Amino acid sequence: MTEGRSCPLAYRYDPASLCAEPQQVAGDVLYVIGGLYGNPLALDEIERLARAEERQGRRVTLVFNGDFNWFNATDGLFREINNRVLEHTVSLGNVDYELANPNDGAGCGCAYPDFVDEGVVARSNAIMERLQGVAGEHSDIQARLSLLPRYRCLIFGGLKVLVIHGDPESLAGWGLAHESFVAGNEAKLTEWFLASGADVIVSTHTCLPVLWSGMVNERRCVVANNGAAGMGNLRQDPRGLITRIGLASPVAEPVAGLERQGLNVSLLPVDYDVDAWLEQFDRLWPAGSAAAVSYRDRIVGGTSITADDITFPPGRGSIG
């Protein structure tokens, strides 16, 4: 199988094991941040949002669920991103896993499905190769990354919040991708919620946002996939998104949100300084480079979907 499409055995886990040892989290708000992709300006804005919540008396916990590295392919930016992120609650994405524990034949470790173009796969492998070269000069950070878990189960607001990168079977799984919800994946979702015992599953990895709510054995369950914190997610909208879970409504207007037994679950925009980031990005990844070809248009103009396309079942923007 082509590098970048395979899923290493080390990525896989049993859904029934994911919430076996849940961790209690104090505080009023969780920010779950997937796909920062090495963007320091997005991280600045996320920290600013957290400070705004704290000024209102709310305690905010930042939880990074992987792929906080990607575009940060210089020594200085690699150290900055990792040192800042690793101060918080962190689990691995496939990118971070491959920086600390490279798997032969894994390429970027993205496990891209067939609907992803071969050119995207090849360019992602090239980005990973360059980033691994940078990471190899920072053995202390590689060691810290190697100690991180692949997932976390958090007790927050009395509910089990399962924080993963891909899906409940694999670090790089695509079962919680926007495309999977469009195709209809209710049977698999039911299986995963029953096996794990989770009330809320928060994911990333697959680059497009999702907010789903449904009943599983008379228990309302939620899936939130933030798409990407470090680049645009919606049509003509360069803002990143994070998943916010709180005991009260967010300080900024979310692009989608719902209520689950007293918890507010929403996708919160990260309105960072895109122009300042593009100055750095273009130096790191000039025209024609793998990252520029694959991602620059998205950084500037977002994706092809709108806010109306995020919620599943369609049209359900909020529920009680």
Side-chain angles (χ1 to χ4, degrees), residues 140 156 172 297 299:
D140 59 325
F156 181 77
D297 286 348
I299 291 170

Side-chain angles (χ1 to χ4, degrees), residues 5 12 21 92 103 124 126 145 211 218 220 272 285 290 301:
R5 292 198 188 274
R12 300 181 183 178
E21 298 181 2
L92 292 167
N103 285 276
S124 291
L145 293 176
L211 191 60
E218 300 183 353
R220 186 167 296 283
Y272 69 93
W285 302 98

Side-chain angles (χ1 to χ4, degrees), residues 187-251:
K188 200 65 178 176
L189 285 176
T190 296
E191 178 185 325
W192 285 335
F193 275 108
L194 290 176
S196 67
D199 299 293
V200 180
I201 299 177
V202 186
S203 181
T204 182
H205 176 60
T206 55
C207 283
L208 291 178
V210 169
L211 191 60
W212 173 90
S213 177
M215 300 300 294
V216 177
N217 280 12
E218 300 183 353
R219 179 168 57 102
R220 186 167 296 283
C221 296
V222 173
V223 173
N225 183 334
N226 74 301
M231 58 183 176
N233 295 270
L234 304 176
R235 185 183 304 163
Q236 297 304 309
D237 187 344
R239 298 177 299 175
L241 292 174
I242 59 174
T243 298
R244 180 194 183 275
I245 304 175
L247 304 178
S249 299
V251 293

Side-chain angles (χ1 to χ4, degrees), residues 119-141:
V120 173
V121 180
R123 290 191 293 272
S124 291
N125 292 339
I127 295 169
M128 176 59 77
E129 184 177 0
R130 178 177 165 186
L131 191 57
Q132 284 175 327
V134 174
E137 300 299 316
H138 302 275
S139 59
D140 59 325
I141 290 176

